[in-house]
Amino acid sequence: MRIDEKLKQIGIDLPNAPSPVGSYVPYVRSGGLLFISGQIPTVNGELLHHGKVPEEVSLEDAKKCAKICLLNALAHANKALQSLDQIKRIVRMTGYVASSEKFTEQADVMNGASDLAFEIFDEIGKHARLAVGVYELPLGAPVELEVILEV
């Protein structure tokens, strides 16, 4: 099944690729890899939630933010490749979670993105991953996600 058909089947509309918030490009292709720059949970140019998890952003909302970060990354991949069907594998995701003191469930937050990747891509969506707690993220975002794809 084509990826665009799979997205429709599970009720997902791919967003427009968000503009970078700094002096960098949103993606770089090098050989058979596509590196997607860190994505924050923006919807139509607006940050969905602000603050630290779980103090200001609930665990469930943070998981939703991780999903949005993945969708924003896929929007850039679609722009770079002209079709998500060009993706051979999600190689690695690195997730950053703006964390309150003593919060240790960063991996659970990033499961939002990982589970969605599995749902969309099946076997090729299985990836290596790193989930890190940080003090602050750009624009006060609770989550940031970078993705490496084999294409």
Side-chain angles (χ1 to χ4, degrees):
M1 176 182 294
R2 292 178 41 92
I3 297 301
D4 57 347
E5 293 170 0
K6 181 73 177 253
L7 289 169
K8 278 185 185 177
Q9 180 185 20
I10 59 178
I12 293 177
D13 290 322
L14 205 58
N16 291 324
S19 298
V21 296
S23 299
Y24 61 90
V25 294
Y27 54 84
V28 170
R29 185 171 181 170
S30 180
L33 296 176
L34 182 65
F35 297 82
I36 308 292
S37 295
Q39 299 298 305
I40 58 177
T42 57
V43 176
N44 298 321
E46 298 293 322
L47 195 59
L48 185 63
H49 292 284
H50 294 81
K52 293 183 177 22
V53 182
E55 184 180 328
E56 298 155 306
V57 179
S58 72
L59 181 59
E60 285 307 309
D61 284 341
K63 283 180 169 183
K64 290 176 190 170
C65 286
K67 288 179 182 182
I68 291 168
C69 290
L70 177 61
L71 292 176
N72 287 341
L74 293 178
H76 282 294
N78 193 50
K79 189 173 182 181
L81 303 170
Q82 307 304 308
S83 170
L84 295 178
D85 293 314
Q86 299 299 313
I87 297 171
K88 293 181 182 178
R89 175 161 204 127
I90 298 178
V91 176
R92 179 176 166 158
M93 291 189 197
T94 303
Y96 303 91
V97 181
S99 302
S100 298
E101 187 176 353
K102 300 189 184 208
F103 180 71
T104 59
E105 297 175 61
Q106 291 83 5
D108 197 23
V109 170
M110 296 319 301
N111 284 344
S114 292
D115 292 346
L116 183 57
F118 303 154
E119 186 176 4
I120 295 170
F121 292 97
D122 299 316
E123 282 300 308
I124 67 168
K126 293 184 179 177
H127 53 273
R129 189 183 78 189
L130 178 66
V132 179
V134 298
Y135 188 71
E136 294 286 346
L137 287 169
L139 306 178
V143 178
E144 183 171 6
L145 178 71
E146 67 176 336
V147 181
I148 300 171
L149 305 168
E150 180 184 4
V151 297

